[in-house]
Amino acid sequence: MTDADPLSGIVLPTRVRSHTEKHLARLGRAERAYEVHRALERAEGFVEGLDVCGALNPRTVEALYSLFDGVATVQLEALKDGSDTWQSEL
């Protein structure tokens, strides 16, 4: 695993970043496909709430959706292949 920051290049308020990191960690801890899907739904709901209340600009909202989707995809592939989590891809 590397020390790469999956949020590099995405500017977020401190509290939003903290919750985003929690959602990323939840995705990374998922050990079954249904857990990945549940974590992804929660993360997407979090982003949708930020979007609806106007807390972030559209580009940042899209970046978060893409990040969560990408992490979930890698995590599902890792689970299917029996390899480590998405974090080993960083």
Side-chain angles (χ1 to χ4, degrees):
M1 182 164 78
T2 66
D3 293 329
D5 179 7
L7 292 172
S8 66
I10 302 175
V11 178
L12 299 170
T14 304
R15 290 177 62 190
V16 172
R17 183 179 182 88
S18 174
H19 282 280
T20 300
E21 290 169 344
K22 289 176 186 177
H23 284 289
L24 288 170
R26 189 175 292 118
L27 281 165
R29 287 191 309 267
E31 296 179 355
R32 306 228 185 309
Y34 75 87
E35 293 173 346
V36 174
H37 291 290
R38 183 183 315 141
L40 179 58
E41 286 179 17
R42 289 184 67 174
E44 289 175 336
F46 168 68
V47 176
E48 182 178 11
L50 293 169
D51 186 25
V52 167
C53 72
L56 302 174
N57 67 52
R59 186 187 312 205
T60 301
V61 168
E62 186 57 38
L64 288 178
Y65 277 128
S66 295
L67 173 64
F68 286 134
D69 186 57
V71 167
T73 299
V74 171
Q75 182 71 358
L76 287 168
E77 285 298 316
L79 292 172
K80 184 171 28 172
D81 295 342
S83 58
D84 288 339
T85 65
W86 67 273
Q87 296 168 338
S88 64
E89 299 290 322
L90 296 176

